Amino acid sequence: MKLDKLTNQLEGRQKGIETLFGAPAPAEAPPATSKRQPVPTSKRSTWKMRAWYVQPETASRLRAYVNRQQENGSSIDASGVVNEAIAMWLDQQGS
């Protein structure tokens, strides 16, 4: 690995920036801040995010079902379908 060569190139670029602009280059950029305000009715603000594994066929069937419903004008999404299915299953189990 030619780490020394890369280090020298980086130092040279930083010196060039200092020469052009008269100030040292910042060590790292400040963290990006989001200017978007959270939407209070968004699922991201009220629902719990979880991840489970499902069979590929199940995922394909769910995606196809949601796409068909959306094409027919429904405002359905996959998380709503999964939420309803889990709630119904838990009701059947008596939980």
Side-chain angles (χ1 to χ4, degrees), residues 2-4 14 22 25 28 31 44 46-47 50-52 56 58 60 62-63 69-71 74 79 82 84 93 95:
K2 299 180 180 182
L3 187 58
D4 293 335
Q14 287 177 337
E28 56 182 72
R44 291 182 180 200
T46 58
W47 289 39
R50 297 291 184 261
W52 291 281
T58 305
S60 294
L62 174 61
R63 184 174 50 249
Q69 296 304 311
Q70 289 175 342
E71 287 170 357
S74 178
S79 61
V82 171
E84 286 184 42
Q93 302 305 310
S95 297

Side-chain angles (χ1 to χ4, degrees), residues 7 11-12 19 23 29 35 42 44 60-61 63 83 85 92:
T7 303
E11 288 173 355
T19 302
K35 293 182 180 176
S42 168
R44 291 182 180 200
S60 294
R61 290 173 60 196
R63 184 174 50 249
N83 184 63
Q92 290 176 351

Side-chain angles (χ1 to χ4, degrees), residues 11 17-18 22 35 37-38 44 53 55 57 74 77 83 86:
E11 288 173 355
I17 290 172
E18 289 175 19
K35 293 182 180 176
Q37 296 295 322
R44 291 182 180 200
Y53 290 98
Q55 294 291 325
E57 175 64 19
S74 178
D77 66 357
N83 184 63
I86 292 172

